[in-house]
Amino acid sequence: MEYGKGELPPYSAVVAPDRRRRWSARRSRSVKLFALACLVFIVYAQWRQVESRPKRSSESRLSIEKLNEDARACSKLRSKPQDPIGPGRERNARYVDGHKPTLIKNATIWIGEPAEGTSTEDARAGKGFSWIHADVLLEYGLIKEVRKGIDASSLSSDTLIWDAKGRQLTSGIIDMHSHAGVDSLPGLVGNDDTNEMGSNITPYVRSIDGLNIFDHQIQVIKSGGVTTSLVLPGSSNNIGGEAFVIKHAVGALDGRNETSIADLLADPDRTWRYIKMACGENSKRTYGLVGEHGPTSRLGESWEFRHAFEQAAKLLQAQDDWCTEAESVGVEQMNRYLPQDLKWETLVAVLRGQVHVNTHCYTVPDLEAFVDHTNEFKFPIRAFHHAHQTFLVPEILKRAYGDTPPASALFADNMWYKAEAYIGSEYAGKILYENGLTPIYVSDNPVLNAQHVVFEAAKAFGYGLPYHAALAAVTTAPAERLGLGQRLGKVKPGFDADIVVWDSDPLSVGAAPVQVWIDGTAQFDDPVELKKPFTAPPNTPPEISAVADEAVLASDLILTGVSNSFLSPEFQPGSYGQNSTVAISRGRIICVGVCEAELETASKLGTRTVSLQNGYLTRPFTVFGSLLGLNAIDAEQDTDNGGSPDVFSRGIDGLAFETKKLRYAAKYGVTRAISAPKYSGQGTHQGTSVGFRTAAKHSLEEGAIFADDVAVHYTLDLSAKRGSTSVSNAVNSLRHKLLEAAAADISANTTTPDPYTEAAFLAKVVSGSLPLAVTVHSADAIAALLKVKKTVDNAITSSRGNGGISLVIIGGAESFLLADELAAANVGVVLSPLLSYRQGWDQRRALTGAPLTNGTAVDRLVAAGVRVAVGIEEDWLVRDVGLLAGIAYKNSQGELSEKDALDLVSDNVYEILGLDGSDDAREFVVFEGNPLEIGSRVRAVGGGVGDEVTVFV
């Protein structure tokens, strides 16, 4: 017979013993009576046992205090947090007693919400948003008043008065994806606490336990107007652990009364909790080991997620059962404590809706898999991070999550660095917003420098995201997704007094804070304020012209409305500069100016005409020092030319054309690139660089290659130790090679059997026919190089009578410290990146710019007379080359003209390398709008190959 699970068999099922003797009737009767008595006794004993069982716990040794504590925990387990209140508070919980009130006068304020009475539909369309002129009173760590004409005489006598002078004021910027403090800069093994790599599933670890409050990057980030960051664990793990929201005010210098991690917390009450999860490439690449353990595939990752959630679901059910039983029979009757397991506690809280989930998911398969997980285990998600492909599936997200679809935390245009980042769009934010979803722009600091996270929003605006939505993407939208939307992200009474006053429109190129307040306390005692012309913003937000993204080829073309030309004198518009015509025939410019005859001919032939507003005609951009042409996807070996410290090779032999990187380069006006093989990793070089045109189909196409061997490259940054064991050995080795080349008797052997060896190219370096380009950041290593150059130059002079090597520095983060010496030695510098943020130890003295430093490396080098160009350290920056030049221009305090700035990414490259520049008639770019500004559009590109121009309509 079968019984239910845990069920005792009925008494009737007990088998009586087999009796082999016959009993008399009397004996039988006695036995029966005895047996009945025994049965009654057994039943009575069983009854007493069952009756007393619930009381056993009261006699147990369980702590009644612990049981009561567990019972109180039940209420907490079943509660769901509510967003903490903002308006209605008398003081901020983070306020430090004794801090004085501050009145900010004469500000132009972005409130962060539309005017009262604006409908939801109109607000989403941008109606009701405007810049207003008013004063702001900060007191007790809160915004107390926002209105015109606050009378200072009516305030307490200790109130600090700060005149904004009409400049723009916003709430503090919020970065919803940062590793500041756990991935400290400069990056060192000892201060890297980004990922706990002892296991793939680590919901039990917390970023706060590794947060380095002395990470200087926390201050650098604040200097960009960022007052609040969500500090996440890294993305190596499928479940990486808990995250925490911090404010960027540390210790007494920042107005705090203690120096502690706890004091950084944006919400001291810790109302909400946060967790980081990650789909995709990272986990399987980090933890998968075939035949031993997974995950080795996305299939395995889904199992890892589901198994973890299953454990959490079991614990959740056990806890709920315990709480229900305790409520039913009383805690004193319980014979066990509340089930708890620290390993799964955070995930249980996720399933209870007490933790805001932030998940790194790039691709459609990853997104759909995670939708399945949230449906199966019934928990919400606040945002998909690195959400490159959410713009392709907005309907899936809306269908899966109804009225509360996750936000998409994005870069504006950083992609192609690995396979899952290969598919993406700079227009993702615009598309998401048009489909009713929420884009948020983030830094992933130190992947991007969070100091400039507002620049990501600015670029998104340039790509078509409405102004109000772009600014919301780094203020109100992340505040709401963090559950802090009633405290952060707006300039309203009752909100935290986190305020930024800017030197220019925050969504413009080069915008920098003049001052930053956190909890009502000014953060910079003596901030550097750049001298920029003041331009009052329009009351209504600016708009960007429609995107011109469809490419067509045209042999003949007319462009009207060109107001500025930066080509050679024969292609200047003269007195017709404000409304000139550019006529193109067979891919060549034949007229700039009135062009009456060309217009008449074009009219007769029906030639395509493009009308521009504020057209700019410029030389094409040239990128020097990237991996363009030698790599398609940064992290994928099969798409990469490769490189090694042991190999000296020629870039021309590894060129690969028609990649996505090159197509985008041409699309954004980068028609030329000069690339060298890698020494070890990205941003390192060894061998000879090749100069080529990005629009070419292959290396044999006419015009595809403009210089077979441009320069001889070596690397002396920190990676030099991989091949030479020490930087000193690498310097010595380079000096030895150059001295050997200098000592060679050039008259004895004018030809070599192989002119492509390292020795043969070094012979060209010492003869002056090729420059030596060295990738280096440290001022100390640059000083060592200058000594090498002097030694080799002396050897060349001694053996040949005259001459010397032409030295070029690539990188140059600390080169400004030797600006005078570089100028005296006639050494050119290609800054890559333009704005270093001390990523490595060899960049630790880099200038990060206002308001912390007076200028950056480019300003100091230009002032000293050093020839300077701007390179890109990562290939995705091909879209931003003009804007990088624009940053240098806007922050030069008048020292650079527009032409000077454009030369940083064009003519200066050729001057430094001793090359001829481009042919202005065949190679040019036509922009609608200033290419140094947000929102300009490339409308036509003459790529220097073929007889056609690419036109964007």
Side-chain angles (χ1 to χ4, degrees):
M1 182 179 294
E2 295 182 355
Y3 311 106
K5 184 178 180 181
E7 200 176 293
L8 291 173
Y11 292 119
S12 60
V14 176
V15 179
D18 181 16
R19 303 185 184 277
R20 300 188 180 276
R21 297 181 181 179
R22 298 188 61 177
W23 297 82
S24 66
R26 187 171 182 179
R27 173 67 60 86
S28 177
R29 188 179 300 115
S30 299
V31 170
K32 288 179 180 179
L33 289 173
F34 179 79
L36 181 61
C38 289
L39 183 60
V40 169
F41 177 80
I42 291 171
V43 170
Y44 175 76
Q46 290 284 344
W47 174 75
R48 288 297 303 271
Q49 185 178 19
V50 171
E51 180 188 49
S52 64
R53 188 170 296 159
K55 299 179 181 179
R56 184 172 297 171
S57 64
S58 66
E59 300 169 0
S60 72
R61 296 183 179 181
L62 294 184
S63 164
I64 190 65
E65 289 82 9
K66 177 68 168 66
L67 289 169
N68 283 325
E69 181 183 329
D70 286 351
R72 289 191 294 271
C74 288
S75 175
K76 185 176 180 180
L77 288 174
R78 291 172 170 175
S79 66
K80 184 174 179 180
Q82 299 297 314
D83 289 0
I85 65 166
R89 294 179 293 166
E90 290 299 317
R91 58 189 283 151
N92 185 337
R94 286 178 45 85
Y95 172 69
V96 175
D97 287 337
H99 282 207
K100 299 176 181 180
T102 298
L103 176 62
I104 303 174
K105 297 284 291 182
N106 305 317
T108 303
I109 302 169
W110 184 262
I111 299 296
E113 66 180 23
E116 187 175 351
T118 306
S119 69
T120 302
E121 182 179 354
D122 283 348
R124 190 157 186 89
K127 298 178 181 178
F129 287 91
S130 64
W131 291 94
I132 66 169
H133 301 281
D135 304 333
V136 183
L137 176 63
L138 315 178
E139 189 175 23
Y140 297 120
L142 299 175
I143 299 171
K144 285 292 186 177
E145 288 188 82
V146 181
R147 62 179 176 86
K148 287 185 177 181
I150 297 177
D151 185 0
S153 65
S154 67
L155 305 176
S156 61
S157 59
D158 63 347
T159 300
L160 304 173
I161 310 298
W162 199 92
D163 188 359
K165 301 176 181 177
R167 289 170 295 201
Q168 288 161 281
L169 180 153
T170 69
S171 70
I173 301 302
I174 301 170
D175 185 3
M176 196 173 158
H177 188 134
S178 180
H179 304 294
V182 293
D183 196 352
S184 300
L185 298 181
L188 299 170
V189 173
N191 64 15
D192 182 3
D193 292 293
T194 318
N195 298 279
E196 171 47 53
M197 302 182 73
S199 175
N200 178 35
I201 303 297
T202 58
Y204 43 83
V205 303
R206 309 179 301 178
S207 66
I208 197 173
D209 295 327
L211 204 153
N212 174 16
I213 57 176
F214 301 113
D215 179 5
H216 181 66
Q217 184 67 2
I218 291 174
Q219 300 298 327
V220 172
I221 291 168
K222 178 171 61 184
S223 75
V226 178
T227 55
T228 305
S229 294
L230 175 62
V231 178
L232 297 151
S235 57
S236 289
N237 305 44
N238 284 141
I239 300 179
E242 285 199 61
F244 290 80
V245 182
I246 68 164
K247 291 195 180 183
H248 289 256
V250 183
L253 291 178
D254 293 346
R256 309 305 300 166
N257 59 3
E258 66 176 67
T259 302
S260 69
I261 299 171
D263 190 60
L264 295 181
L265 295 178
D267 176 15
D269 296 327
R270 304 192 189 192
T271 307
W272 284 106
R273 297 167 67 184
Y274 310 87
I275 193 169
K276 169 70 176 297
M277 302 184 188
C279 319
E281 290 184 34
N282 290 4
S283 177
K284 64 176 183 170
R285 185 171 60 243
T286 303
Y287 296 101
L289 188 59
V290 175
E292 295 191 22
H293 53 77
T296 63
S297 68
R298 283 179 165 84
L299 287 67
E301 288 187 11
S302 279
W303 155 249
E304 295 269 337
F305 278 121
R306 296 178 70 216
H307 180 65
F309 292 136
E310 181 185 43
Q311 306 313 305
K314 288 178 179 178
L315 180 56
L316 182 150
Q317 188 62 58
Q319 290 176 339
D320 285 352
D321 290 347
W322 190 95
C323 292
T324 300
E325 185 178 347
E327 290 170 356
S328 175
V329 303
V331 69
E332 68 280 357
Q333 302 298 320
M334 300 302 291
N335 63 356
R336 65 195 187 283
Y337 293 125
L338 174 69
Q340 298 188 64
D341 187 339
L342 197 58
K343 181 176 183 179
W344 302 114
E345 182 275 333
T346 303
L347 279 191
V348 171
V350 167
L351 299 184
R352 293 187 184 280
Q354 298 167 340
V355 182
H356 285 330
V357 178
N358 293 270
T359 301
H360 154 136
C361 280
Y362 284 81
T363 69
V364 171
D366 292 333
L367 293 165
E368 288 203 52
F370 213 83
V371 167
D372 285 345
H373 304 329
T374 60
N375 285 343
E376 181 178 4
F377 293 95
K378 298 178 175 58
F379 63 91
I381 180 169
R382 298 300 279 186
F384 284 118
H385 292 239
H386 294 296
H388 274 53
Q389 295 180 24
T390 49
F391 80 99
L392 296 172
V393 290
E395 294 307 319
I396 289 178
L397 299 181
K398 289 190 288 187
R399 185 173 73 247
Y401 298 106
D403 294 335
T404 57
S408 292
L410 306 159
F411 300 137
D413 49 16
N414 183 358
M415 51 194 73
W416 313 325
Y417 44 90
K418 53 182 175 176
E420 62 188 9
Y422 192 60
I423 297 175
S425 173
E426 62 270 47
Y427 305 119
K430 172 180 183 289
I431 295 168
L432 288 165
Y433 192 79
E434 290 172 349
N435 280 274
L437 298 174
T438 302
I440 291 173
Y441 288 93
V442 298
S443 72
D444 195 12
N445 187 89
V447 173
L448 300 182
N449 180 5
Q451 176 189 7
H452 303 300
V453 70
V454 73
F455 187 48
E456 295 299 293
K459 289 188 290 183
F461 169 54
Y463 294 132
L465 183 65
Y467 185 94
H468 71 286
L471 204 45
V474 288
T475 52
T476 53
E480 185 272 330
R481 294 293 160 154
L482 293 172
L484 299 173
Q486 297 182 57
R487 290 188 176 181
L488 305 176
K490 296 179 183 178
V491 184
K492 292 181 62 179
F495 278 65
D496 286 7
D498 299 343
I499 298 293
V500 184
V501 173
W502 302 87
D503 65 8
S504 50
D505 189 311
L507 297 188
S508 66
V509 168
V514 174
Q515 184 57 277
V516 175
W517 289 262
I518 294 179
D519 302 317
T521 299
Q523 295 297 296
F524 302 112
D525 287 338
D526 188 21
V528 173
E529 182 179 350
L530 300 178
K531 297 175 183 177
K532 295 183 180 179
F534 174 74
T535 304
N539 288 334
T540 56
E543 295 182 359
I544 292 292
S545 60
V547 174
D549 207 39
E550 181 184 351
V552 297
L553 295 176
S555 175
D556 300 332
L557 180 68
I558 296 292
L559 299 116
T560 63
V562 174
S563 55
N564 295 274
S565 174
F566 294 91
L567 301 187
S568 50
E570 64 264 36
F571 297 115
Q572 294 295 323
S575 59
Y576 300 93
Q578 293 305 307
N579 190 23
S580 295
T581 296
V582 175
I584 297 168
S585 176
R586 300 190 65 186
R588 298 179 65 88
I589 296 176
I590 58 173
C591 178
V592 177
V594 180
C595 305
E596 291 180 348
E598 289 79 6
L599 284 172
E600 183 178 351
T601 301
S603 177
K604 292 177 181 178
L605 297 176
T607 300
R608 180 186 291 272
T609 299
V610 177
S611 298
L612 305 175
Q613 292 184 349
N614 191 28
Y616 271 65
L617 178 60
T618 76
R619 287 182 173 142
F621 301 146
T622 298
V623 165
F624 177 44
S626 74
L627 284 176
L628 286 177
L630 298 173
N631 175 281
I633 302 173
D634 297 355
E636 291 291 332
Q637 290 186 357
D638 286 354
T639 76
D640 184 56
N641 173 63
S644 167
D646 301 323
V647 174
F648 184 95
S649 61
R650 302 173 72 213
I652 191 171
D653 295 331
L655 274 181
F657 289 88
E658 293 198 308
T659 64
K660 183 180 285 189
K661 288 182 178 181
L662 293 182
R663 286 196 294 271
Y664 272 88
K667 174 182 174 180
Y668 282 87
V670 180
T671 71
R672 289 187 171 205
I674 301 170
S675 301
K678 290 191 296 190
Y679 171 80
S680 57
Q682 189 163 11
T684 66
H685 311 94
Q686 182 156 292
T688 67
S689 49
V690 56
F692 65 99
R693 292 183 171 89
T694 58
K697 294 180 174 59
H698 52 77
S699 61
L700 297 180
E701 183 177 10
E702 184 179 355
I705 308 297
F706 64 83
D708 287 3
D709 298 287
V710 174
V712 176
H713 292 256
Y714 292 96
T715 292
L716 286 179
D717 67 6
L718 295 177
S719 63
K721 290 182 281 188
R722 297 180 186 176
S724 298
T725 70
S726 69
V727 173
S728 57
N729 187 43
V731 172
N732 186 57
S733 175
L734 178 59
R735 177 173 48 233
H736 178 72
K737 290 176 181 179
L738 290 168
L739 288 173
E740 278 196 331
D745 185 353
I746 59 173
S747 62
N749 184 15
T750 58
T751 62
T752 62
D754 184 356
Y756 303 113
T757 63
E758 181 177 10
F761 283 114
L762 285 173
K764 293 183 178 181
V765 169
V766 298
S767 70
S769 59
L770 280 183
L772 175 68
V774 181
T775 301
V776 59
H777 286 291
S778 164
D780 303 300
I782 294 171
L785 268 177
L786 291 177
K787 290 180 180 179
V788 169
K789 173 176 165 52
K790 184 175 181 180
T791 299
V792 175
D793 287 352
N794 288 339
I796 293 171
T797 302
S798 175
S799 63
R800 307 187 185 194
N802 56 54
I805 63 173
S806 174
L807 178 62
V808 179
I809 301 298
I810 303 176
E814 295 185 356
S815 60
F816 69 93
L817 292 170
L818 294 160
D820 292 337
E821 291 81 358
L822 290 167
N826 198 28
V827 174
V829 177
V830 180
L831 290 171
S832 180
L834 169 67
L835 302 173
S836 171
Y837 51 109
R838 309 180 180 189
Q839 284 182 291
W841 185 253
D842 57 347
Q843 302 180 44
R844 68 189 184 279
R845 293 173 285 188
L847 298 175
T848 55
L852 288 181
T853 67
N854 187 7
T856 60
V858 65
D859 303 303
R860 302 286 181 89
L861 293 170
V862 168
V866 178
R867 292 174 299 163
V868 185
V870 173
I872 61 173
E873 71 280 16
E874 295 184 72
D875 296 347
W876 62 269
L877 286 162
V878 292
R879 295 183 180 90
D880 299 344
V881 172
L883 298 181
L884 294 176
I887 291 171
Y889 168 65
K890 281 298 188 70
N891 291 345
S892 71
Q893 305 189 81
E895 294 302 314
L896 294 178
S897 66
E898 286 187 343
K899 184 181 186 308
D900 293 334
L902 291 168
D903 286 348
L904 292 173
V905 290
S906 56
D907 286 9
N908 288 11
V909 176
Y910 300 97
E911 290 181 12
I912 288 172
L913 295 171
L915 294 173
D916 293 332
S918 59
D919 175 1
D920 284 356
R922 296 184 67 237
E923 289 185 82
F924 55 85
V925 185
V926 181
F927 292 88
E928 186 161 30
N930 188 338
L932 304 176
E933 296 278 9
I934 292 291
S936 64
R937 298 273 185 264
V938 175
R939 298 301 304 274
V941 178
V945 291
D947 295 328
E948 293 179 310
V949 174
T950 302
V951 186
F952 296 95
V953 297

